Amino acid sequence: MASLVAVDNKKHLNTKIDLNKVEHHGANLPLIPVVLAEFIHLAVQYPIVLTKNGDTGQFVFSAMLGFEENENLFWQQAQWQGLYVPLQIRRQPFFVETSDEKHHNELAICLNTDSPAVSEEIGQALFDEKGDESSYFKTVKANLTQLLLGEKENKVLIATLTSMALIKPMSLDITFMNQGATKLAGLYTIDEVKLAALNNEQILSLHQSGLLSAIHTMMISLGQIHTLIDLKNKSLS
């Protein structure tokens, strides 16, 4: 379990983050949670799917990175090879303390001190010698803010998709070049047939709420499964 401590400009005055090790947090992740604001960037390389939270059963938007447990096909030669690195990776090793609802306008940032990216010798400083926030730390806070806002947008879209019965399980059998086969399970996507059957009023509502473009982006992104298959085949050759 991560050891989280609140970031403090006195306690962490000399703390640095080795950016070369930040992306290691995603090295073994076949799925990574994503938010709507990222969809347009993700869709050019990653399939965007829906999964279910194992604890709550709630739907979660995820970028698909691999086919097997602990497999990230975009992690090659100890580096992330994707054109776009998801926010959930880039914000590492920082988290937001959300227990104090009274101060929701002020982010209580915590640092995972167990992360291999945390250092006092190499990397990006959190504060300058006066204790003022560095431009790097300001970027981290902006990423965390975007994730928090994104979670709210995600909930709206998921509630809308659920109410319109537009979510369906994905069914896909894949055979790789070594004749190994896999069947995708536990993944969900947009039901294109039901989407096409919506009436004009429902389509207009989706468009006016800004959700229709996200739905289409998600559908288009599924073509990137072929990218994943190609990466998998290359890893087997």
Side-chain angles (χ1 to χ4, degrees), residues 2-235:
S3 297
L4 302 182
V5 297
V7 176
D8 180 272
N9 67 347
K10 294 182 177 63
K11 184 185 301 182
H12 299 108
L13 184 64
N14 299 314
T15 299
K16 297 178 175 62
I17 304 299
D18 184 348
L19 299 186
N20 291 324
K21 295 183 179 179
V22 165
E23 294 173 1
H24 278 260
H25 288 275
N28 300 312
L29 296 178
L31 293 163
I32 186 75
V34 296
V35 294
L36 264 64
E38 301 181 274
F39 276 20
I40 194 68
H41 305 293
L42 294 162
V44 299
Q45 198 159 34
Y46 312 99
I48 304 169
V49 298
L50 282 153
T51 58
K52 281 190 176 181
N53 183 298
D55 296 323
T56 67
Q58 299 296 310
F59 282 112
V60 177
F61 291 114
S62 298
M64 188 175 170
L65 310 175
F67 296 102
E68 302 176 14
E69 187 177 357
N70 300 322
E71 179 182 67
N72 178 355
L73 293 168
F74 293 94
W75 183 258
Q76 302 289 335
Q77 300 174 351
Q79 287 185 327
W80 195 288
Q81 301 296 329
L83 298 174
Y84 175 82
V85 180
L87 281 170
Q88 284 284 3
I89 298 300
R90 284 188 282 136
R91 59 92 172 174
Q92 293 286 350
F94 298 94
F95 296 79
V96 177
E97 174 58 61
T98 58
S99 60
D100 190 350
E101 297 293 337
K102 294 182 294 184
H103 302 293
H104 58 86
N105 290 326
E106 296 183 12
L107 297 181
I109 310 299
C110 293
L111 173 67
N112 174 14
T113 57
D114 288 340
S115 169
V118 178
S119 171
E120 290 199 354
E121 288 79 36
I122 186 170
Q124 295 287 325
L126 304 187
F127 304 98
D128 62 21
E129 63 275 5
K130 296 179 181 179
D132 294 327
E133 293 180 356
S134 67
S135 58
Y136 163 72
F137 191 48
K138 289 177 181 177
T139 298
V140 168
K141 292 176 71 174
N143 287 340
L144 290 168
T145 299
Q146 191 172 3
L147 281 170
L148 286 179
L149 294 174
E151 286 299 324
K152 295 178 181 179
E153 294 175 340
N154 283 8
K155 288 180 180 179
V156 171
L157 178 53
I158 288 171
T160 302
L161 293 174
T162 302
S163 67
M164 292 184 171
L166 294 177
I167 299 175
K168 70 172 185 179
M170 285 180 64
S171 178
L172 188 62
D173 295 307
I174 302 171
T175 301
F176 301 111
M177 64 182 298
N178 67 347
Q179 300 307 308
T182 188
K183 182 178 180 65
L184 296 182
L187 303 179
Y188 301 80
T189 189
I190 305 299
D191 191 321
E192 295 184 38
V193 174
K194 290 184 178 178
L195 178 65
L198 294 181
N199 59 44
N200 291 338
E201 183 179 349
Q202 290 171 311
I203 292 293
L204 181 61
S205 174
L206 287 174
H207 175 70
Q208 291 178 334
S209 62
L211 300 179
L212 189 59
S213 60
I215 291 172
H216 284 150
T217 299
M218 186 175 173
M219 291 163 56
I220 291 170
S221 78
L222 291 185
Q224 300 302 337
I225 287 179
H226 297 291
T227 299
L228 276 184
I229 293 173
D230 183 53
L231 289 172
K232 179 70 172 181
N233 283 334
K234 287 178 179 176
S235 72

